[in-house]
Amino acid sequence: MTIADQKQPTAKAPGSKSPRGLIPAHVAIIMDGNGRWAEARQQPRTEGHVAGLENIRRVLRHLENRGVSYATIFAFSTENWTRPQGEVSFLLELLAESLKTEVGDLHENNVRILHQGRLAELPPELSKEIAAAVELTSKNDGITLIVAFNYGGRAEIVDAAKRLIESGVSADKLDEESFAREMSPPGVPDPDLVVRTSGEFRISNFLLWQSAYSEFYSTPAPWPEFDEAEVDKAIEAFSNRKRKFGGILADRPE
Ligand code: FPP
């Protein structure tokens, strides 16, 4: 049993075809617009985050239906600490709460959970809960959900460099592969598609290294309204892109 109710043929590698077109293996999402969505309804911004959290389940299910194997969600950035204290506490609490209430269901639905970001800077209880969710779901082979929480692309690159220096690697042995191994959780391919909701066209320190050749898609829909039809539009846009990876199309016959 997986989270998908009507599973499409699974795309384990980018470029796999489904009856509906080319499916990205890894979709990474900047879930923007929760605050504006709530404010437009005369609600506190925190209500937008609650609606945003609920939307993760719906989108994850649909991504798996469409054959996506990895989904990374940008849930809290290293810069989000500068938000008003009340909103920061609310987001930390929302994650803590969702770890209690959602992880059982995700596990039953065969979802594998991974974390990306600086775990050690989070409250100890929260980082323990995150580690427990990762451990509990580690053998699952449905869609992999990577939760970027206290994540920043620049911080990740600096942390990787520090670890490499500490490991004593010599400069001539340092290459893109050794660097890449220090960043995303092991075995996670670079995102094929980066989606940003709420009409912005910024990368905002998200997956800076990994998104070097990702296709970027922006939609005006705020995150709480990014539904199944929006997922389909993003995947369709991806399937019409010509990816060249710095080469020319003649190098990569279809
Ligand atoms: C951006 O909207 C969203 C965030 C900074 C947080 C994303 C969080 C969630 C979707 C819910 C919590 C998720 C987990 C896993 C706990 P914004 O507040 O910047 O919106 P705005 O640009 O309209 O102000």
Side-chain angles (χ1 to χ4, degrees):
M1 163 116 178
T2 71
I3 198 169
D5 21 57
Q6 298 164 353
K7 209 165 182 335
Q8 300 295 317
T10 301
K12 286 294 177 196
S16 301
K17 298 252 185 186
S18 87
R20 293 179 186 171
L22 201 64
I23 298 293
H26 182 177
V27 178
I29 309 176
I30 302 173
M31 307 181 289
D32 199 9
N34 293 346
R36 277 165 284 173
W37 180 86
E39 281 159 7
R41 280 160 186 71
Q42 283 79 48
Q43 291 175 0
R45 292 174 53 81
T46 47
E47 284 304 309
H49 296 316
V50 172
L53 177 65
E54 277 167 21
N55 196 40
I56 294 170
R57 205 180 306 126
R58 161 168 80 168
V59 169
L60 189 64
R61 186 183 310 122
H62 197 59
L63 287 172
E64 189 169 42
N65 279 340
R66 295 299 312 273
V68 171
S69 302
Y70 302 87
T72 299
I73 52 169
F74 203 4
F76 191 89
S77 77
T78 46
E79 289 69 42
N80 286 155
W81 296 104
T82 62
R83 291 191 175 207
Q85 181 53 42
E87 185 167 340
V88 169
S89 310
F90 188 86
L91 285 166
L92 294 178
E93 190 51 42
L94 204 56
L95 178 63
E97 202 47 43
S98 63
L99 285 166
K100 289 194 185 82
T101 57
E102 303 285 334
V103 168
D105 248 24
L106 291 171
H107 183 45
E108 269 177 32
N109 285 306
N110 202 19
V111 175
R112 180 170 69 126
I113 299 171
L114 296 174
H115 172 261
Q116 190 163 359
R118 287 180 168 167
L119 206 53
E121 287 175 357
L122 293 173
E125 198 49 42
L126 184 57
S127 54
K128 259 192 257 159
E129 296 274 356
I130 295 172
V134 170
E135 172 60 26
L136 175 72
T137 62
S138 62
K139 303 276 186 311
N140 293 344
D141 61 3
I143 193 167
T144 298
L145 172 66
I146 301 125
V147 182
F149 201 97
N150 196 24
Y151 173 82
R154 289 182 173 179
E156 183 181 43
I157 292 169
V158 170
D159 290 349
K162 282 184 182 163
R163 279 195 300 275
L164 285 161
I165 291 167
E166 279 162 11
S167 76
V169 65
S170 61
D172 62 315
K173 289 276 168 353
L174 190 58
D175 57 14
E176 291 186 12
E177 281 69 36
S178 53
F179 226 92
R181 270 197 300 276
E182 288 297 324
M183 290 198 278
S184 293
V188 174
D190 288 345
D192 303 294
L193 174 63
V194 175
V195 172
R196 182 164 190 152
T197 58
S198 215
E200 311 291 349
F201 287 82
R202 283 188 297 280
I203 201 74
S204 294
N205 205 14
F206 186 45
L207 302 179
L208 294 183
W209 173 279
Q210 299 88 340
S211 66
Y213 286 103
S214 304
E215 295 296 323
F216 190 79
Y217 176 84
S218 175
T219 170
W223 172 248
E225 290 176 11
F226 186 81
D227 60 8
E228 291 91 340
E230 290 286 339
V231 171
D232 287 344
K233 276 197 266 175
I235 291 179
E236 195 192 336
F238 173 83
S239 74
N240 289 322
R241 304 280 175 87
K242 300 264 179 281
R243 301 182 80 188
K244 298 192 293 182
F245 299 92
I248 55 173
L249 283 175
D251 288 339
R252 300 175 58 84
E254 300 217 335

